[in-house]
Amino acid sequence: MSGQIPAMSGGCSGCQERSYETPYTLEDGSWESESETASTASAGRTGSCSSDDLEPEWLDDVQKNGELFYLELSEGEEDALIQANSTSAPLINHVRFSEKEAEVITDHKPKEPCKHEHRLKKLANVLKKKKRLYTHSCSKGVASKANEQRSSQPPGPTSILKHQANPKIGVSVQLSYKDVYVYVNPNKISDKALDEGAKLLEAFVGIIHQPSRKNPVAGKLSDRLTSTKMTTEERLVVHSLVHGSAAMKCGQILIGDALIAVNDVEVTTENIERVLSCIPGPMQVKLTIETLSPGPVGTGLSVEHIAKPIPTVNNLVKLLWGQDTTDLQMEIGNIPHIAMYLTLKLESENSKEEQQEILYQYPMTDASQKLKSVRGIFLTLCDMLENITGGQVISSSLLLNGKLINVDYWKEGSNLLLIGLPAERVPLPQLRNMIKNVVRTLQYMYNSLDSAFCKLENVPRLDHFFSLYFQRAIQPEKLNCSASLSSWCYSSSSALFLDSLPGVRWLTLPQDIKVDIDTALSDLESADFGELSEDYYDMRRLYVILGSCLFFKGYLIGNHLPKDDLLDIALYCQHYCLLPLAAEQRIGQLVIWREMFPYRHLLSSHEPIIEGYQEPKGRYFLLIVGLRYFMLCVLLEAGGCASKAIGNPGPDSVYVDQVKATLLQLEGLEASIQDRLGSPTTPCLSCADWFLPSRDKFESLSNSPIISKLQGTSKSTQSSTSRRTLFGDSSLRMQKSSPPKSNSASDNGGERHGDASSFSMNFSPYSTSDMIKKHPRRESQGSGGSEGSGSIFKNKKKQSFPNPFYMGSMKKSLSETETEEMYNITKLTSGSENTLFHYISLETVQGIFITPTHIEVAQLNGSTHSQLIKNFHRCCLSIRSVFQQTLDKWERKYPDIIHNSTQINLRKSSSGLGPLKEHGVLFQCSPENWTDQKKPPAIMSYWVVGRLFIDPHPQELYVCFHDSVTEVAVELAFRLSFGLVT
Amino acid sequence: MAASVQLLCLATSSGVPLYCRSKGESRQLPFSVIGSLNGVHMFGSNQDVLLTSTCTDNTRVCWRVFQDSITLIVMTSEEDASDLYLGRLLDNIFSAMVLLIGLDDLVNLKNVERLKRELRACYKLIDSFLAASDWIGDLTQCVDCVVSPDTDILQEALDVFVGAAESNFGCLMVMGKVVVATEKWWRLAAQEVMLLAWLVGSLAPSSSRDYPIYLPQGSPTVPHRLMTFQLVPGVEVCLLCGPTPSLQQVQAELVERFWSPLLEPLKGCLRTHQRCFPTSTPLHPSILGLLLINREQNKNLFILQPHGVEHSQQQGAALPPTRRKSILRLFYTLAVSAYFPADTTEDKSGYILTRAFCFEVTATPLVIGPTPG
């Protein structure tokens, strides 16, 4: 299912007359002729060829200005979405087929801004072609006839396609009839299947009808029959159902029922194929069924369907598609928030006109009107305070209905961008980051704020932009789409912090996979083969590929872009929530194309980096193609050594196809990347709950390293496997709980501290890896006691491992047991137990950060732990704001110190907290359900420590670890960043 | 532009400036600026939008309206000014005005000119809030204390003295820091205790005073008498009482009688006031400064020179006491605004945040501060 932003739909009527200068037109032409020959000449042409000849699905979504945002969901998602839609707004998508000659009209009237109709038309076009080919393969006679027809009627067979406002039949059916809604996606059915003569009824709906002997013609003959006007109509009795089909899934069509009508068009054996062939694209179809037993089963099911909650997934997708999102808007409607773009230049003559200083404003709700009405405050303050203090106004705080609202200013030229959000949702330092990001995103998309806000045609786009923006800021949980609760909790707590980091979430991968990815990306970037090479068309190429970056499930796994470009793209993707979208398998196909104005080039235009060198004055285009979990972003340059871009070129299908091909090629790696995601964390983490003695924590207790050590070294591998199967592996539980000590320890809540093992169990040690082996490079830091067992494996394997993160690379080359041992190496904290709960490491130079993956966090599921992680992120937020203040001050003072580096200056600048580097907070927590009245609740203390490294390059690290070990954050960071900077 | 603080006080309804105080080498703001600063706030409040603060790269402006009659605006370019500090500053300043003038005169602005004259009496106290001082009570809203080695004797003497003066409220101060006070004195609102200490500390030294004061929370409209008697230079005993007894009476009959035997302990107080606690208590030599807050009794110990003046002068090159003070103040602000929001019960989750401990390592030696919890 495709979608587009309504803001852009205004331009789509013009997409037909889009003209391509330069080679595109030529190429377009050749494509036309090619398809022409294909359709006329070869009857034996296979389905796979025909799909090549189809114009890409996204072509009609291209805007007048060349932009494209095409998002197609994967099948399962679509299904759910359509069903959810139909419950809320039933029958809106239905298509009526008129008469027996069901037809699709391709009207050339200016389209309504309704995306559905638009889509239908587009897919009808696609379908037309399919049908053509299909007929060719059936019989040449018909084919030639069809060709004649086509030449006389260029638009092809016309048919009627209408919106049905209120279908009456659906309500007034007789008792023996029932309406069943099924979701049909013709795109799913391969042409091959059709060629083989499978019937549409079977393929689309899943109903198998055995024709009576009298008329044993299959689908392809029915065409001929109609042409000869033979009327051998027969009722469509359901003889069986195709397994897994729509009809079976809905559970309301029973064998023996008869299909009477499709979307209120009466169907028989004679016309069913044609009626179904007119289904233009994925849609819901109403089947009217005559049933023998209008049993309660069906109704029960349908009720269930209605009651099914609409998944939150929809919200995000709806927003992206720009569909009706009033319910979402309503929810935040009474929360005051505003984005305004004001001009400070007031012409006194025009002052009669109201609100003429407002260039743009969003939203228009009542709560926001209040903020709008006091815009005078902001204008005055901005003007006055700048005059008095000589500094730019940064922010204001207001009390509105007892709620604290923060308003942040961004001045560009004589214009002022204001963003106001309630303080309870977004703390002030956070708001500063947010406005920086939004300005950067807007500059990236529109070159400057002025060009974004001052063009009238941008207004609907900006509305969409800011509606997304505020949805993300105010209710991120509504847009979060993780299915499992724990990861949902994780992402909502971390979203605020992680989104503000100037970096992209990086997934460390085994070396061989990395090489494969890099090779694939480099191949694409070289653009020296096939249609991309200049030799192919013997002319200058359209675009040079500057670089690309690859995302998998929202993690960056490959990057060939400079940091600033990467951050630009990341911000764009973040804004449009593309990364969480790809995290679940939600993307069927995603194509984004737009002109961009990279930050790097905005900067470099002011000051040349290298004397005498000038960046080519080119134009830059961003192409994002997403398939399933993968998303590949490519930055293209026109001008420079490629041909100059003229006008607003749309996406070039050659490039899109190449990128897609690269993605398809990369899909082979999916399994191994999934492995990496699912495998135990490389720097091992502990769960906070393991550090609290608790009754119902048998599994975790039984995982105690002490016990497994007691049971001999043979168990060592086992216990590390148990980490994976920690939740729900009964055999392990049995085996591990055998020593009675663990029982007593857990039952008494830590009362008996007599023997060593139970004592340490109560204390902390449920680390994920029982044997600590040191990495060769970390040997010096390693604790001596654990060295012995580790060295065995080191000797066995003479390989040297480049860094702790790439441990996963061993997975393939080593046998299973040995792999497990390798994982044990990766404990980050010192001491005998692993006390690390969580970490975030940010590399500002490369613009990436690493943190445990969602899966890792989900594995460490525990009530205390999730609270801890929430608290960790909240704490990081405040720590980071301190760091930022420090950095800001430094930057302000730095030039001074450079220029006249006198002692006096240094001393003068030493107010404030100074170049702060490390900041730690100690928290204590106890389990929430402490039932035992007699004993004081168990207390677990943990540190959240943030550290800012300024030398040699800015780097930030946040760790959360148990209090029992005094960790030096530097050391942790050193180990963590091993894999990142070499 | 050098660091400066500008304080504006205006009548809310009319917008008439009542006074302006400033610190640092800045000129007084032009009237038009004062007008527009007040104007934006007034414009907002007419639209039900209450402007509270604004910050620029280098300046912070804070607005507060008290009792719908007095508007206070503070504008500061000091780097360590925070919203928390400015909020408390304005609160302290209004309370100081109430302390000396009484709430009635501030709420019912009949004669603005007369009020302006009366407010002059507050300038000294207000200026002491603006100026950097060796106290931290303005920020913590707790009173600065000194731990004397002879606390028991002094406490006993004070109790008897206050009883003899037919009062319940008495306190012994050294350089504006409380040594001992009667039980009732501690039951006054924390801010009042702090304000009284600041008032005594800010006034010009004199052998005895009889000062009418209003207690901002206890009795904002009915004045009490604050009597102070200098025992030794820098050490004063304060009494809070009604119409009786007279100053002469107490001075002549009681002060000499109760305090002259205790001359040595009083002098001892004076000696320890820089260090704030007896030398007998050992302190690690690496500790440069210390802030200890007792939240139950609203007392704090704020120590900048724990190893004596001479000792700190030797180290002074590395970290002068003013810098230590600013670091401790900043650290307190950071910890309180980030981790201990004043009046929140924080624990929606059901977890008890029993204690928290922050540290920061900076390029400058160290700051370690245990904070209340």
Side-chain angles (χ1 to χ4, degrees):
Chain A
M1 183 166 169
S2 77
Q4 58 168 127
I5 301 164
M8 299 177 178
S9 66
C12 67
S13 61
C15 55
Q16 250 75 29
E17 66 252 19
R18 175 183 77 252
S19 65
Y20 289 105
E21 280 83 355
T22 59
Y24 192 87
T25 28
L26 283 176
E27 188 231 316
D28 208 358
S30 71
W31 175 83
E32 275 293 338
S33 60
E34 201 181 33
S35 77
E36 202 73 21
T37 49
S39 58
T40 44
S42 65
R45 200 173 168 99
T46 57
S48 60
C49 284
S50 68
S51 71
D52 277 344
D53 289 333
L54 292 177
E55 57 180 75
E57 308 85 289
W58 42 262
L59 202 56
D60 282 330
D61 279 345
V62 180
Q63 307 302 301
K64 214 189 243 168
N65 56 6
E67 281 169 20
L68 171 68
F69 191 100
Y70 176 86
L71 174 63
E72 188 182 310
L73 289 186
S74 58
E75 292 146 12
E77 292 286 339
E78 259 172 62
D79 228 335
L81 200 64
I82 295 246
Q83 264 165 16
N85 273 350
S86 67
T87 51
S88 55
L91 308 178
I92 200 154
N93 304 336
H94 293 185
V95 176
R96 177 193 266 162
F97 299 82
S98 80
E99 312 294 271
K100 291 178 183 169
E101 288 286 320
E103 286 169 333
V104 180
I105 279 188
T106 46
D107 52 344
H108 290 282
K109 286 182 289 182
K111 263 167 272 140
E112 297 160 29
C114 163
K115 78 161 246 303
H116 251 288
E117 193 175 19
H118 175 73
R119 204 198 66 227
L120 289 182
K121 188 209 136 203
K122 179 189 72 203
L123 283 157
N125 283 340
V126 174
L127 209 74
K128 262 184 310 192
K129 291 197 177 134
K130 276 188 194 168
K131 236 174 79 183
R132 248 180 261 149
L133 280 163
Y134 168 56
T135 36
H136 298 321
S137 63
C138 290
S139 67
K140 280 180 183 171
V142 179
S144 58
K145 210 172 165 184
N147 267 342
E148 274 171 37
Q149 247 182 5
R150 196 149 51 93
S151 54
S152 59
Q153 291 177 313
T158 52
S159 42
I160 289 166
L161 182 88
K162 263 190 204 164
H163 272 264
Q164 194 170 24
N166 276 317
K168 290 137 251 166
I169 304 157
V171 192
S172 63
V173 273
Q174 288 99 316
L175 247 171
S176 54
Y177 292 95
K178 65 180 175 191
D179 289 342
V180 178
Y181 295 99
V182 293
Y183 173 72
V184 171
N185 187 352
N187 299 352
K188 254 162 79 175
I189 290 103
S190 63
D191 293 313
K192 223 172 211 166
L194 294 179
D195 284 344
E196 281 157 10
K199 285 188 286 183
L200 286 177
L201 183 61
E202 200 177 315
F204 283 12
V205 192
I207 295 176
I208 298 174
H209 166 73
Q210 303 284 339
S212 59
R213 263 172 237 158
K214 201 180 145 195
N215 186 20
V217 271
K220 58 176 177 180
L221 270 182
S222 70
D223 272 314
R224 198 181 286 162
L225 286 173
T226 47
S227 62
T228 51
K229 301 280 178 204
M230 259 178 69
T231 50
T232 46
E233 292 179 19
E234 199 187 340
R235 272 159 56 93
L236 276 162
V237 179
V238 180
H239 288 117
S240 64
L241 296 171
V242 176
H243 186 75
S245 66
M248 184 167 248
K249 269 192 259 176
C250 81
Q252 285 168 278
I253 300 172
L254 305 172
I255 293 172
D257 292 353
L259 180 63
I260 302 300
V262 175
N263 277 18
D264 303 336
V265 177
E266 202 180 315
V267 289
T268 60
T269 46
E270 185 229 336
N271 68 346
I272 178 69
E273 290 299 304
R274 247 174 325 136
V275 168
L276 288 177
S277 72
C278 291
I279 294 173
M283 63 180 292
Q284 204 181 34
V285 173
K286 185 175 83 174
L287 305 175
T288 309
I289 304 278
E290 191 187 55
T291 179
L292 300 172
S293 55
V297 190
T299 48
L301 270 169
S302 69
V303 166
E304 205 175 69
H305 262 299
I306 290 165
K308 188 175 140 192
I310 301 171
T312 47
V313 183
N314 298 345
N315 293 334
L316 174 60
V317 177
K318 269 198 237 165
L319 264 179
L320 283 180
W321 278 338
Q323 283 178 345
D324 183 38
T325 50
T326 34
D327 51 332
L328 275 178
Q329 311 283 5
M330 287 285 278
E331 278 172 59
I332 62 167
N334 46 9
I335 295 170
H337 60 281
I338 199 162
M340 273 191 295
Y341 196 61
L342 310 173
T343 175
L344 293 167
K345 266 188 280 179
L346 281 187
E347 281 142 51
S348 49
E349 311 97 72
N350 298 348
S351 59
K352 293 156 258 166
E353 248 181 87
E354 274 273 308
Q355 308 182 357
Q356 43 105 23
E357 71 269 24
I358 301 181
L359 299 175
Y360 175 78
Q361 179 210 347
Y362 182 88
M364 297 291 188
T365 54
D366 283 345
S368 310
Q369 287 303 309
K370 267 269 154 62
L371 285 172
K372 190 190 106 182
S373 61
V374 294
R375 63 189 177 278
I377 292 181
F378 311 128
L379 290 171
T380 316
L381 282 176
C382 180
D383 192 46
M384 179 182 61
L385 287 181
E386 207 184 319
N387 286 340
I388 309 173
T389 68
Q392 292 278 327
V393 184
I394 293 171
S395 65
S396 285
S397 307
L398 313 160
L399 274 174
L400 180 60
N401 301 332
K403 262 190 185 172
L404 190 65
I405 312 286
N406 291 325
V407 178
D408 223 289
Y409 301 70
W410 188 275
K411 201 175 167 198
E412 195 179 273
S414 61
N415 295 340
L416 185 67
L417 174 68
L418 291 172
I419 289 184
L421 277 168
E424 53 177 10
R425 309 281 166 149
V426 184
L428 193 57
Q430 201 58 22
L431 187 61
R432 189 72 201 150
N433 288 331
M434 283 176 68
I435 199 170
K436 271 184 195 156
N437 284 349
V438 86
V439 167
R440 184 159 175 184
T441 314
L442 283 172
Q443 280 173 343
Y444 188 44
M445 292 166 71
Y446 297 102
N447 199 12
S448 68
L449 289 185
D450 275 341
S451 61
F453 287 108
C454 298
K455 282 187 194 144
L456 205 61
E457 73 261 21
N458 280 343
V459 167
R461 277 170 229 204
L462 288 171
D463 281 350
H464 179 253
F465 182 91
F466 279 107
S467 88
L468 248 180
Y469 181 74
F470 285 123
Q471 289 290 346
R472 280 201 317 136
I474 295 176
Q475 43 181 17
E477 68 277 6
K478 292 267 174 193
L479 297 183
N480 264 325
C481 17
S482 306
S484 63
L485 191 72
S486 62
S487 63
W488 172 81
C489 189
Y490 173 52
S491 46
S492 65
S493 69
S494 62
L496 195 62
F497 178 62
L498 295 186
D499 280 0
S500 71
L501 287 178
V504 193
R505 196 168 186 156
W506 172 260
L507 181 70
T508 51
L509 285 175
Q511 198 67 53
D512 52 343
I513 302 179
K514 245 184 99 55
V515 168
D516 286 347
I517 290 170
D518 284 338
T519 315
L521 292 187
S522 303
D523 282 350
L524 171 72
E525 284 154 13
S526 64
D528 58 354
F529 56 87
E531 293 169 295
L532 282 181
S533 71
E534 296 193 331
D535 301 334
Y536 191 80
Y537 294 114
D538 202 19
M539 61 180 58
R540 239 180 178 193
R541 66 183 53 161
L542 284 178
Y543 307 103
V544 175
I545 300 181
L546 290 182
S548 57
C549 56
L550 180 67
F551 291 92
F552 178 78
K553 282 189 158 186
Y555 299 96
L556 182 71
I557 55 172
N559 175 34
H560 289 181
L561 281 168
K563 175 201 162 198
D564 279 323
D565 286 339
L566 176 67
L567 286 187
D568 280 339
I569 290 174
L571 277 176
Y572 179 83
C573 293
Q574 200 181 68
H575 183 87
Y576 284 100
C577 302
L578 296 177
L579 299 181
L581 199 68
E584 319 266 305
Q585 187 184 354
R586 219 176 258 113
I587 297 178
Q589 186 184 357
L590 169 79
V591 183
I592 294 173
W593 170 274
R594 62 176 300 139
E595 183 164 10
M596 290 297 187
F597 305 89
Y599 182 71
R600 190 162 55 93
H601 299 287
L602 288 183
L603 277 190
S604 64
S605 60
H606 296 306
E607 39 186 293
I609 306 156
I610 306 161
E611 195 108 351
Y613 172 74
Q614 233 180 346
E615 287 259 352
K617 281 213 166 51
R619 289 168 66 184
Y620 300 91
F621 295 88
L622 174 67
L623 172 65
I624 300 178
V625 177
L627 271 181
R628 286 153 53 78
Y629 294 124
F630 284 100
M631 222 171 76
L632 184 54
C633 310
V634 182
L635 189 66
L636 304 164
E637 183 189 61
C641 60
S643 58
K644 275 210 172 72
I646 303 158
N648 293 313
D652 189 296
S653 61
V654 172
Y655 283 84
V656 176
D657 285 348
Q658 280 304 338
V659 175
K660 213 178 279 178
T662 309
L663 280 179
L664 287 172
Q665 183 195 338
L666 285 167
E667 244 167 27
L669 294 172
E670 190 180 321
S672 35
I673 302 174
Q674 284 287 16
D675 263 6
R676 158 68 184 92
L677 268 176
S679 65
T681 49
T682 350
C684 283
L685 296 180
S686 285
C687 179
D689 295 66
W690 301 344
F691 287 79
L692 288 165
S694 171
R695 263 142 255 252
D696 50 326
K697 289 266 158 34
F698 261 92
E699 298 99 304
S700 50
L701 272 175
S702 62
N703 203 29
S704 160
I706 304 296
I707 292 169
S708 44
K709 263 180 195 160
L710 285 174
Q711 289 178 336
T713 38
S714 59
K715 289 278 153 54
S716 66
T717 51
Q718 199 121 29
S719 89
S720 60
T721 22
S722 75
R723 194 199 165 290
R724 279 194 198 157
T725 51
L726 197 65
F727 309 99
D729 190 331
S730 57
S731 71
L732 265 173
R733 202 182 310 171
M734 265 169 51
Q735 168 220 331
K736 287 302 162 77
S737 55
S738 53
K741 286 165 192 166
S742 68
N743 287 343
S744 69
S746 56
D747 280 343
N748 298 342
E751 220 176 41
R752 274 207 262 155
H753 286 187
D755 53 345
S757 73
S758 69
F759 172 74
S760 56
M761 230 179 300
N762 279 321
F763 210 63
S764 58
Y766 311 115
S767 61
T768 51
S769 49
D770 54 341
M771 311 218 325
I772 307 101
K773 274 137 255 157
K774 287 298 154 184
H775 192 283
R777 277 168 80 168
R778 282 193 271 125
E779 214 163 31
S780 55
Q781 308 156 15
S783 60
S786 51
E787 207 65 54
S789 51
S791 56
I792 303 167
F793 295 96
K794 260 189 288 167
N795 295 341
K796 244 192 240 171
K797 289 280 150 191
K798 282 274 157 63
Q799 282 162 283
S800 72
F801 311 117
N803 72 61
F805 288 123
Y806 294 144
M807 279 306 119
S809 66
M810 310 285 57
K811 187 137 200 198
K812 279 186 177 165
S813 54
L814 300 183
S815 71
E816 187 63 23
T817 356
E818 283 163 337
T819 316
E820 297 298 347
E821 295 300 337
M822 298 325 295
Y823 279 121
N824 292 339
I825 293 173
T826 58
K827 192 172 69 70
L828 208 60
T829 54
S830 62
S832 58
E833 290 105 28
N834 185 23
T835 53
L836 183 70
F837 294 136
H838 208 79
Y839 63 89
I840 293 171
S841 174
L842 172 75
E843 289 280 346
T844 38
V845 172
Q846 311 191 352
I848 53 171
F849 65 86
I850 51 165
T851 181
T853 61
H854 290 82
I855 296 173
E856 289 165 18
V857 174
Q859 278 173 346
L860 300 167
N861 202 355
S863 58
T864 318
H865 194 66
S866 61
Q867 290 297 336
L868 176 138
I869 285 180
K870 213 186 245 175
N871 193 32
F872 171 71
H873 283 114
R874 213 172 41 188
C875 192
C876 286
L877 210 61
S878 58
I879 294 177
R880 181 145 204 276
S881 69
V882 175
F883 286 171
Q884 279 189 308
Q885 274 174 18
T886 313
L887 278 178
D888 283 353
K889 267 179 201 157
W890 260 49
E891 270 163 31
R892 239 179 286 159
K893 276 165 199 161
Y894 199 55
D896 264 33
I897 296 169
I898 286 292
H899 281 303
N900 36 356
S901 58
T902 54
Q903 284 294 312
I904 305 140
N905 234 331
L906 277 169
R907 202 164 291 162
K908 233 185 214 171
S909 66
S910 66
S911 66
L913 280 173
L916 177 137
K917 278 181 185 162
E918 191 165 316
H919 186 115
V921 187
L922 179 69
F923 291 94
Q924 286 191 339
C925 70
S926 34
E928 53 191 342
N929 46 358
W930 191 258
T931 44
D932 205 334
Q933 299 293 329
K934 290 169 207 159
K935 281 175 232 112
I939 287 172
M940 203 248 324
S941 4
Y942 60 93
W943 284 97
V944 177
V945 177
R947 191 172 177 104
L948 173 74
F949 301 83
I950 295 174
D951 281 332
H953 42 76
Q955 190 183 339
E956 286 168 42
L957 170 85
Y958 304 89
V959 283
C960 178
F961 54 86
H962 191 261
D963 188 32
S964 63
V965 183
T966 47
E967 277 301 334
V968 186
V970 198
E971 221 168 285
L972 278 177
F974 179 65
R975 296 180 206 172
L976 254 182
S977 59
F978 238 113
L980 295 175
V981 190
T982 41
Chain B
M1 190 172 160
S4 71
V5 186
Q6 302 266 1
L7 176 76
L8 309 174
C9 176
L10 304 105
T12 305
S13 49
S14 58
V16 178
L18 297 175
Y19 63 84
C20 304
R21 303 303 298 166
S22 61
K23 183 201 129 187
E25 61 258 34
S26 59
R27 296 169 290 110
Q28 196 184 329
L29 291 173
F31 189 76
S32 64
V33 171
I34 297 176
S36 26
L37 278 176
N38 186 44
V40 286
H41 185 265
M42 218 153 64
F43 172 70
S45 55
N46 287 339
Q47 311 253 5
D48 288 331
V49 176
L50 222 60
L51 186 62
T52 57
S53 72
T54 289
C55 63
T56 73
D57 290 342
N58 50 14
T59 309
R60 248 167 217 282
V61 188
C62 228
W63 289 263
R64 280 286 284 278
V65 176
F66 294 91
Q67 306 284 340
D68 284 330
S69 71
I70 300 286
T71 306
L72 287 177
I73 303 171
V74 65
M75 189 163 132
T76 172
S77 57
E78 278 181 339
E79 229 168 319
D80 43 2
S82 59
D83 275 346
L84 178 90
Y85 166 70
L86 291 181
R88 292 194 174 169
L89 175 71
L90 292 183
D91 207 42
N92 286 337
I93 286 172
F94 182 73
S95 296
M97 287 158 68
V98 175
L99 184 79
L100 296 178
I101 297 175
L103 195 60
D104 281 342
D105 283 354
L106 291 172
V107 173
N108 311 312
L109 300 179
K110 283 175 211 130
N111 190 338
V112 174
E113 286 309 312
R114 211 190 86 203
L115 181 65
K116 275 187 188 173
R117 274 201 303 281
E118 282 180 29
L119 280 171
R120 274 183 208 155
C122 311
Y123 285 0
K124 254 213 149 115
L125 184 53
I126 289 167
D127 286 350
S128 76
F129 281 117
L130 295 181
S133 57
D134 281 346
W135 304 313
I136 202 173
D138 57 332
L139 186 62
T140 59
Q141 300 285 31
C142 297
V143 69
D144 290 282
C145 293
V146 171
V147 179
S148 157
D150 314 303
T151 307
D152 294 342
I153 310 167
L154 293 173
Q155 181 76 50
E156 202 179 322
L158 181 71
D159 287 343
V160 181
F161 169 72
V162 170
E166 294 163 38
S167 169
N168 284 318
F169 302 91
C171 152
L172 185 70
M173 286 186 208
V174 50
M175 309 294 272
K177 294 177 185 174
V178 174
V179 184
V180 286
T182 59
E183 200 182 319
K184 280 277 173 75
W185 185 279
W186 288 123
R187 289 208 203 137
L188 293 173
Q191 196 191 28
E192 291 167 351
V193 175
M194 186 271 294
L195 278 173
L196 288 171
W198 277 72
L199 176 69
V200 174
S202 69
L203 291 173
S206 60
S207 62
S208 64
R209 303 185 195 96
D210 193 346
Y211 223 77
I213 57 151
Y214 302 79
L215 294 175
Q217 264 122 70
S219 71
T221 49
V222 182
H224 289 260
R225 285 166 65 215
L226 174 73
M227 290 193 285
T228 71
F229 308 94
Q230 194 181 59
L231 303 176
V232 288
V235 181
E236 284 170 293
V237 66
C238 313
L239 270 179
L240 206 55
C241 55
T244 54
S246 73
L247 183 72
Q248 289 77 16
Q249 209 180 343
V250 178
Q251 174 86 353
E253 295 171 16
L254 302 176
V255 172
E256 191 72 9
R257 199 173 98 206
F258 287 101
W259 293 105
S260 54
L262 295 173
L263 200 62
E264 244 349 273
L266 290 176
K267 280 183 177 163
C269 287
L270 201 58
R271 279 195 299 275
T272 52
H273 98 269
Q274 280 286 4
R275 203 181 168 210
C276 293
F277 66 94
T279 38
S280 54
T281 315
L283 205 58
H284 195 276
S286 65
I287 293 178
L288 299 178
L290 181 75
L291 170 63
L292 182 67
I293 300 175
N294 181 338
R295 297 270 283 181
E296 261 165 50
Q297 293 184 295
N298 296 309
K299 296 178 192 176
N300 65 38
L301 274 181
F302 184 50
I303 305 164
L304 297 174
Q305 293 168 325
H307 309 292
V309 180
E310 308 79 36
H311 190 254
S312 66
Q313 269 165 355
Q314 287 165 11
Q315 299 181 338
L319 197 65
T322 49
R323 173 91 182 104
R324 296 177 196 181
K325 183 188 75 185
S326 114
I327 288 178
L328 276 177
R329 286 181 79 106
L330 269 176
F331 185 69
Y332 172 82
T333 309
L334 179 75
V336 167
S337 45
Y339 306 114
F340 305 99
D343 40 20
T344 49
T345 44
E346 198 42 27
D347 291 324
K348 300 154 210 148
S349 52
Y351 281 82
I352 310 152
L353 190 79
T354 46
R355 188 171 64 93
F357 181 84
C358 313
F359 74 85
E360 288 178 1
V361 181
T362 67
T364 49
L366 87 161
V367 187
I368 290 190
T371 45

